[in-house]
């Protein structure tokens, strides 16, 4: 991970996503060159997803892109953490992007400026 002060910055990035590119550009504009994780090529495992959810302070449902065709039939926000994590592990494309991680905090960069609160 890239280091800012004593902490590191990582972005789960999809270069095809406009918002992800804008978030990366915003970090760079603030003098931060994060470690870039192309999460579609290097998907997080269940433990990493749980750790990020803890840093986000949000439920797994908030990390899932609900309008994507890979969302399993019958899966809803009420399906529970484990079922949603199953979907995220099986289909990394369902992970909301970008995710920026800095120390013990993380933010989903929607809108991109959201990530500035953890830097």
């Amino acid at each position: 991970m890239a280091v800012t002060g004593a902490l590191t910055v990582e972005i789960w990035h999809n270069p095809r996503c406009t918002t992800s590119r804008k978030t990366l550009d915003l970090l760079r504009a603030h003098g931060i060159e994060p470690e870039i994780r192309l999460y579609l090529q290097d998907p997080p495992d269940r433990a990493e997803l749980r750790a990020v959810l803890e840093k986000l302070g949000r439920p797994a449902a908030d990390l899932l892109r609900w309008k994507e065709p890979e969302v399993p039939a019958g899966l809803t926000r009420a399906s529970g953490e484990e079922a949603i994590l199953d979907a995220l592990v099986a289909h990394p494309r369902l992970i909301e992007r970008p995710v920026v991680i800095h120390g013990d905090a993380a933010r989903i960069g929607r809108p991109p400026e959201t990530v500035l609160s953890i830097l």
Side-chain angles (χ1 to χ4, degrees):
M1 291 187 188
V3 176
T4 54
L7 299 175
T8 57
V9 177
E10 179 179 3
I11 183 171
W12 291 4
H13 181 58
N14 178 350
R16 297 186 67 198
C17 171
T18 301
T19 303
S20 195
R21 289 192 310 269
K22 286 180 180 178
T23 302
L24 180 57
D25 289 344
L26 180 66
L27 291 171
R28 289 175 171 160
H30 281 81
I32 298 167
E33 184 58 43
E35 179 177 307
I36 298 171
R37 181 172 185 172
L38 301 176
Y39 71 93
L40 294 176
Q41 297 167 4
D42 178 20
D45 62 23
R46 186 181 220 77
E48 290 174 299
L49 288 168
R50 279 194 176 117
V52 162
L53 288 167
E54 185 175 319
K55 291 176 183 192
L56 286 168
R58 295 169 72 173
D62 288 355
L63 194 57
L64 195 139
R65 296 174 57 83
W66 289 98
K67 295 181 181 179
E68 297 296 332
E70 293 88 353
V71 174
L75 188 70
T76 69
R77 288 182 169 274
S79 295
E81 294 288 299
E82 294 308 311
I84 294 170
L85 283 169
D86 288 343
L88 293 169
V89 169
H91 305 284
R93 191 168 110 81
L94 294 178
I95 297 171
E96 188 61 85
R97 63 193 180 255
V99 175
V100 174
I101 305 157
H102 184 226
D104 290 333
R107 294 291 182 272
I108 297 171
R110 291 188 173 270
E113 295 77 18
T114 303
V115 305
L116 296 177
S117 69
I118 63 169
L119 302 178

